[in-house]
């Protein structure tokens, strides 16, 4: 009898050890999957969103609004960090250099193309794992003080030809507005005194303080100053007048064939796990289609327009060719 019980005990111990080993193996596998940021668990810690622009500008504003909705979709925490400098190249480089674990992402716009074409950066959109785009801004405009002598584009062009190189217009070298100015000068055969005053918020401050004659910026970003009577728009660089600003003429209808759209995109470092990028992209698409999100950005004269990673890559390629042509003509 004792001998029989001993054999049974040995069998039970062996079975227990076998089950324990299987359990540990499964646990180790799950742990490895979690540490790699697998789709089922992602995100397990805060995602650092790098904005290569200063606080108070449109890139910062659009990122923070979108991040709130993304956090809900991902059931996680997104921390927005502003890294200003060199037309956005400093912050953009930080993302390229970050660990490709899904916990550092970029939120930026078309300036990625311009920085590359002007050789301010030795990298471009191809050096990221693109995650998509949710917002497009068609309200790119030339803004002046309400008491400015310039009332439309023609009065500005006439004055610039009379006083070449004297009228001051603000930008940030390598930024989206830099290309607009070069293209405008080429199309109108004018020359302005282009002043690098920094970010979008700094340009607005410069115009408020009377330190600059004109700022190229987004109409939705300075809407409050237009409504208060401090600023006036000379036109928007869109195909048609904006529904939210029907009284503002386009550049095209004023005889200047200049059209720009500003698209805001999200990206990760190369080699970020595809399942992580896919999950983030799906969340971004859901945010874009969220009526509450659409309602929140509408007052800023923005359009919701989701672009998948593939569509975004194609848009980048097309826009790059267009910008190359503009720069070639301007130079």
């Amino acid at each position: 009898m004792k001998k029989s019980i001993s054999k049974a005990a040995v069998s039970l111990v062996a079975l227990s050890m076998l089950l324990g080993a299987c359990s540990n193996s499964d646990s180790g596998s799950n742990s490895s999957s979690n540490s790699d940021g697998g789709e089922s668990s992602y995100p397990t810690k805060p995602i650092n969103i790098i904005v290569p622009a200063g606080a108070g500008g449109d890139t910062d504003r659009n990122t923070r609004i979108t991040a709130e909705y993304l956090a809900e979709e991902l059931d996680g925490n997104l921390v927005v960090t502003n890294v200003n400098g060199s037309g956005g190249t400093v912050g953009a480089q930080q993302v390229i250099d970050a660990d490709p674990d899904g916990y550092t992402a970029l939120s930026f716009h078309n300036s990625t193309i311009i920085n590359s074409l002007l050789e301010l950066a030795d990298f471009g959109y191809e050096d990221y794992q693109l995650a998509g785009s949710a917002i497009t801004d068609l309200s790119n405009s030339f803004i002046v003080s309400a008491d400015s002598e310039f009332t439309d584009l023609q009065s500005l062009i006439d004055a610039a030809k009379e006083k070449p190189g004297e009228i001051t217009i603000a930008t940030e070298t390598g930024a989206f507005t830099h290309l607009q100015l070069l293209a405008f000068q080429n199309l109108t055969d004018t020359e302005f005194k282009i002043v690098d005053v920094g970010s979008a918020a700094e340009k607005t401050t410069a115009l408020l303080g009377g330190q600059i004659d004109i700022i190229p910026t987004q109409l939705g970003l300075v809407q409050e100053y237009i409504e208060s009577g401090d600023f006036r728009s000379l036109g928007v660089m869109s195909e048609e007048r904006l529904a939210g600003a029907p009284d503002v003429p386009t550049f095209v209808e004023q005889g200047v064939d200049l059209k720009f759209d500003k698209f805001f995109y999200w990206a990760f470092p190369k080699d970020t796990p595809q399942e992580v990028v896919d999950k983030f992209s799906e969340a971004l698409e859901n945010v874009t289609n969220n009526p509450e999100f659409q309602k929140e950005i509408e007052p800023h004269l923005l359009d919701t327009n989701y672009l998948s990673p593939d569509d975004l890559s194609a848009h980048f390629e097309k826009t790059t060719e267009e910008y190359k042509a503009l720069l070639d003509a301007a130079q």
Side-chain angles (χ1 to χ4, degrees):
M1 185 70 176
K2 289 181 180 179
K3 190 174 180 180
S4 177
I5 293 174
S6 176
K7 287 182 177 179
V10 170
S11 298
L12 286 171
V13 170
L15 181 60
S16 176
M17 291 175 66
L18 180 61
L19 291 173
C22 291
S23 176
N24 288 338
S25 176
D26 290 343
S27 175
S29 176
N30 289 340
S31 174
S32 175
S33 177
N34 288 345
S35 66
D36 289 341
E39 182 181 3
S40 60
S41 59
Y42 177 81
T44 59
K45 61 182 181 180
I47 304 171
N48 186 25
I49 308 298
I50 300 294
V51 175
D58 56 339
T59 313
D60 177 64
R61 177 202 62 201
N62 296 345
T63 299
R64 292 181 185 277
I65 293 174
T66 309
E68 290 182 11
Y69 289 87
L70 278 171
E72 294 178 7
E73 286 289 334
L74 293 168
D75 192 23
N77 185 21
L78 277 68
V79 179
V80 177
T81 303
N82 297 91
V83 182
N84 202 6
S86 301
T89 59
V90 176
Q93 181 71 61
Q94 281 192 16
V95 177
I96 286 179
D97 295 338
D99 290 335
D101 58 2
Y103 291 98
T104 302
L106 175 72
S107 176
F108 203 28
H109 52 70
N110 316 37
S111 284
T112 299
I113 303 173
I114 301 164
N115 287 333
S116 178
L117 293 178
L118 293 177
E119 299 182 347
L120 298 175
D122 59 359
F123 56 86
Y125 71 91
E126 308 96 331
D127 296 296
Y128 297 100
Q129 193 94 341
L130 299 177
S133 175
I135 291 175
T136 302
D137 194 340
L138 300 174
S139 72
N140 303 287
S141 178
F142 277 7
I143 305 295
V144 297
S145 296
D147 59 358
S148 171
E149 63 179 290
F150 312 124
T151 56
D152 55 20
L153 289 185
Q154 192 57 54
S155 62
L156 173 62
I157 292 168
D158 291 342
K161 288 184 176 181
E162 290 177 8
K163 301 177 289 185
E166 293 185 24
I167 299 172
T168 57
I169 188 162
T171 189
E172 180 179 13
T173 302
F176 184 54
T177 55
H178 190 181
L179 180 60
Q180 294 173 7
L181 299 183
L182 295 177
F184 184 80
Q185 287 184 142
N186 178 62
L187 286 172
T188 59
D189 193 25
T190 54
E191 180 184 353
F192 294 87
K193 183 177 181 181
I194 298 177
V195 183
D196 189 336
V197 301
S199 67
E202 291 167 321
K203 284 188 291 185
T204 300
T205 300
L207 187 59
L208 281 170
Q211 301 163 355
I212 212 82
D213 294 318
I214 309 160
I215 62 170
T217 192
Q218 286 64 53
L219 196 59
L221 195 57
V222 293
Q223 192 74 348
E224 61 179 302
Y225 297 108
I226 292 175
E227 292 174 352
S228 67
D230 293 302
F231 290 171
R232 183 173 67 245
S233 170
L234 298 183
V236 288
M237 303 174 210
S238 55
E239 189 73 45
E240 300 176 347
R241 294 194 182 199
L242 304 177
D247 295 331
V248 180
T250 67
F251 275 45
V252 173
E253 66 184 272
Q254 296 182 76
V256 180
D257 189 16
L258 198 59
K259 301 181 288 290
F260 279 94
D261 71 317
K262 191 174 186 179
F263 58 94
F264 296 84
Y265 73 94
W266 298 73
F268 289 91
K270 277 287 190 185
D271 299 324
T272 298
Q274 189 60 52
E275 62 269 19
V276 169
V277 178
D278 289 345
K279 185 171 184 178
F280 193 95
S281 298
E282 182 181 355
L284 187 63
E285 182 175 14
N286 291 340
V287 168
T288 310
N289 295 326
N290 186 330
E292 292 183 6
F293 172 71
Q294 295 171 357
K295 183 178 180 181
E296 186 165 351
I297 69 167
E298 185 179 1
H300 304 295
L301 305 181
L302 301 169
D303 291 339
T304 53
N305 180 34
Y306 175 72
L307 294 178
S308 69
D310 287 342
D311 290 339
L312 176 59
S313 180
H315 191 55
F316 258 119
E317 184 176 357
K318 174 177 175 290
T319 305
T320 298
E321 291 305 314
E322 292 173 353
Y323 288 3
K324 279 182 180 177
L326 286 173
L327 280 174
D328 288 344
Q331 295 171 351

